[in-house]
Amino acid sequence: MGRGSALVLLAVMSIGAFLSGLELMITAVALPAIVVDLADWTQLRSASWIINGYLLVSIVVMPLAGQLADRYGIRRVFLWALVVFIAGSILAGRSTTLAELIAARLFQAVGGGALVPVATAAASHVFQGDGARARSLGVVGALTFLGMAAGPFAGAWILQSIHPVAALDALHVTGGLRDALADAWRYVFYLNVPIGLATLALGWAATTGWSPPRRATRLDLAGAAFVSVGLAALLVGITLAGSEPIQGLPIDSPVLAAALGAVAALSLAVALWIGRRRDDPFIDPAWFRAPGFSSAAIVSLLTGYGFATAIIGGAVFVDRVLYGGPDVQRVALGSLAAATAVGAMASGLVLRALGLRLTTVAGLVAAIAALVRMAGWTPDTGIGEVALWLALFGLGFGLTVTPRSAAAVAALGERAYGIASATVTVAREIGMAIGLATLTAFGSTIIDRLWAQVTATPDAYQAYIPEALRNRPFDDGLVVAALEQWASGEAARILVGVFLVAAAVMAVALVPALRFAGARSEPAGSA
């Protein structure tokens, strides 16, 4: 393949990675609108699976996509992944219930989860030599984070600018078609369709006649199944922790959560046992015997937890405490994602000067300091300050990106780049999924408790509003406004603990980070 063709192919594959990054942040911006339209904030545990379900399926699909690309070819897997992602986006956009949307997101994740590992594999095949390969992989990683940076801006623009109700009324559109087109948040998913179709056409043309070497490999479907069951049980167990008893089940939620935790541990243990007996396992325990590799995976896991907390916690603070609209969301989450992209792209340069260990520690310290400061946010905090500290967190998190991949590759060797890069990416997404589940469980438990206090008796709400309003009914406009003000203060208080826990989790990551080699290293790409 000539250099021009190779660059076109890299660009097409990188667009797929861009879509993968875009999907995470654009959905986070739209989540409050989705919750209000299809459910309400008391159903936060269920609504969290709009994102967590997507993460769970992506986690399982990523390693399998690499094996499928080895066996059936990168071109075929990439094109089919785009087809599934586009179809899932259409299904998500037309969903009329929370259950439909979650199911559509699971299907969408089958395609979306395959895009980054397949793009990584393509870059590794096309660009030979350590330097060229590192640069191409850095492009794929950078486009992923640039997609995340674009997400808040695209989401805010859609929520503000697309209001098709008048046009639908003029065209006399009714019934199911109107339901599928009327709400602005639906176009967050529909946006993927034209971009995906254009990428599909370009990918079809750019990869015609290109057939990189394949190798016979058996898919470890049993290992993948046990990992899926284990992660699903873990995330559901965390989400249910502290919830009220579920109707129809003769078991309390805490007991059910503990039982699911046991199922998760057993399933993951079986997956590891299977991995010891296969040539191409879904999870190979031997990988983790290398201290550098296991340290990189742990750092990725713990920083993923912090990243999810910053994204969702920042979005909730802006929406529930500051009562900011899409413009405010765009500034807050846009600063986080843009700074993450800058940090990820700059991490390679910093790595050359400081080495793996110091670069990672510097990024972690910056992120921890930001989370500690975020714990001091109040309803009087301005959006400029919110954006500043979210940006510092993103910059710190971004600085840890390349060192994690480089440490994993150095531990397993260049021949295992795909395994190393995929594993630290999967570890990050597992951390994000656990962070979201924990945040959901904690937030939902507090919301349920506060709602029970306010509605315990017909007059209970009076204890939470100024005395001058206590002779007014619950649904009076001034009473509602006073309760909203009280609720914003309570939400800010709740987020104090959320951010401090995330800071503590990321502080733990300093321990494995100190096991990274201190020498300067050639960047190995982004994950």
Side-chain angles (χ1 to χ4, degrees):
M1 179 178 290
R3 180 170 178 79
S5 298
L7 291 175
V8 170
L9 179 61
L10 177 63
V12 171
M13 295 291 176
S14 296
I15 293 173
F18 178 88
L19 278 173
S20 177
L22 179 74
E23 186 60 29
L24 174 64
M25 294 300 289
I26 199 171
T27 305
V29 170
L31 189 61
I34 295 171
V35 171
V36 170
D37 187 47
L38 297 184
D40 57 62
W41 285 102
T42 62
Q43 294 178 269
L44 183 58
R45 292 180 199 273
S46 298
S48 69
W49 286 93
I50 295 171
I51 295 178
N52 236 354
Y54 187 93
L55 286 174
L56 175 62
V57 174
S58 296
I59 288 165
V60 176
V61 166
M62 280 184 177
L64 287 178
Q67 292 184 336
L68 285 168
D70 286 342
R71 184 171 183 176
Y72 297 107
I74 293 172
R75 179 177 191 265
R76 183 179 299 178
V77 175
F78 180 75
L79 296 178
W80 274 110
L82 279 173
V83 169
V84 172
F85 182 74
I86 293 166
S89 298
I90 295 172
L91 292 174
R94 64 166 300 280
S95 300
T96 56
T97 67
L98 195 59
E100 281 185 22
L101 179 55
I102 293 171
R105 290 279 289 167
L106 297 180
F107 182 74
Q108 184 191 30
V110 173
L115 292 174
V116 173
V118 173
T120 299
S124 299
H125 278 291
V126 173
F127 292 88
Q128 302 298 318
D130 292 345
R133 181 176 292 125
R135 287 190 293 272
S136 67
L137 291 167
V139 169
V140 173
L143 263 292
T144 304
F145 286 109
L146 284 174
M148 292 169 55
F153 296 92
W157 178 81
I158 288 171
L159 294 177
Q160 283 188 315
S161 304
I162 298 182
H163 302 290
V165 173
L168 295 173
D169 288 342
L171 295 172
H172 304 291
V173 177
T174 59
L177 182 59
R178 181 186 177 85
D179 293 339
L181 297 175
D183 302 303
W185 63 261
R186 299 181 183 278
Y187 294 86
V188 162
F189 301 109
Y190 292 150
L191 176 66
N192 295 325
V193 178
I195 300 175
L197 289 173
T199 307
L200 183 64
L202 288 172
W204 181 276
T207 58
T208 299
W210 178 58
S211 181
R214 304 181 189 180
R215 66 186 181 94
T217 178
R218 292 178 58 195
L219 298 179
D220 183 9
L221 296 179
F226 277 104
V227 168
S228 302
V229 171
L231 288 176
L234 176 65
L235 297 178
V236 172
I238 293 173
T239 304
L240 289 177
S243 68
E244 296 296 322
I246 300 175
Q247 292 183 353
L249 287 180
I251 184 172
D252 290 336
S253 295
V255 177
L256 179 58
L260 288 170
V263 170
L266 179 60
S267 297
L268 294 173
V270 172
L272 290 171
W273 179 80
I274 292 172
R276 294 178 60 187
R277 286 157 175 75
R278 292 185 64 97
D279 294 330
D280 295 297
F282 189 81
I283 297 179
D284 189 345
W287 301 338
F288 299 93
R289 295 188 190 126
F293 179 83
S294 58
S295 296
I298 293 171
V299 170
S300 195
L301 177 78
L302 297 176
T303 54
Y305 180 99
F307 192 50
T309 301
I311 293 173
I312 304 302
V316 170
F317 182 85
V318 170
D319 186 74
R320 294 287 90 192
V321 179
L322 301 184
Y323 293 104
D327 263 346
V328 182
Q329 291 271 24
R330 176 174 58 190
V331 172
L333 293 185
S335 65
L336 168 63
T340 300
V342 170
M345 289 185 285
S347 60
L349 298 175
V350 177
L351 182 58
R352 290 190 181 95
L354 299 181
L356 295 173
R357 185 185 303 143
L358 287 180
T359 302
T360 307
V361 169
L364 288 173
V365 169
I368 293 166
L371 286 168
V372 171
R373 186 60 190 86
M374 287 155 63
W377 287 346
T378 69
D380 297 324
T381 301
I383 184 58
E385 184 177 348
V386 171
L388 174 66
W389 293 110
L390 283 174
L392 179 62
F393 175 88
L395 184 66
F397 174 83
L399 284 175
T400 69
V401 167
T402 298
R404 285 184 270 132
S405 292
V409 172
L412 296 189
E414 291 291 336
R415 62 179 179 80
Y417 182 87
I419 293 172
S421 181
T423 302
V424 293
T425 302
V426 167
R428 184 194 72 209
E429 296 218 355
I430 292 174
M432 290 178 64
I434 293 174
L436 178 57
T438 304
L439 182 60
T440 299
F442 180 71
S444 294
T445 300
I446 299 298
I447 289 172
D448 292 344
R449 179 173 60 79
L450 294 177
W451 180 250
Q453 290 176 1
V454 172
T455 60
T457 65
D459 298 327
Y461 70 92
Q462 295 176 359
Y464 305 98
I465 59 176
E467 186 174 355
L469 300 177
R470 291 177 183 171
N471 62 339
R472 293 174 178 266
F474 182 76
D475 58 356
D476 181 86
L478 293 176
V479 170
V480 171
L483 286 173
E484 287 281 7
Q485 185 176 8
W486 168 78
S488 71
E490 290 298 305
R493 183 179 61 80
I494 292 168
L495 288 172
V496 170
V498 168
F499 290 133
L500 287 178
V501 169
V505 168
M506 294 197 72
V508 173
L510 287 167
V511 177
L514 291 174
R515 301 181 69 188
F516 287 178
R520 297 171 180 82
S521 175
E522 179 74 19
S526 300

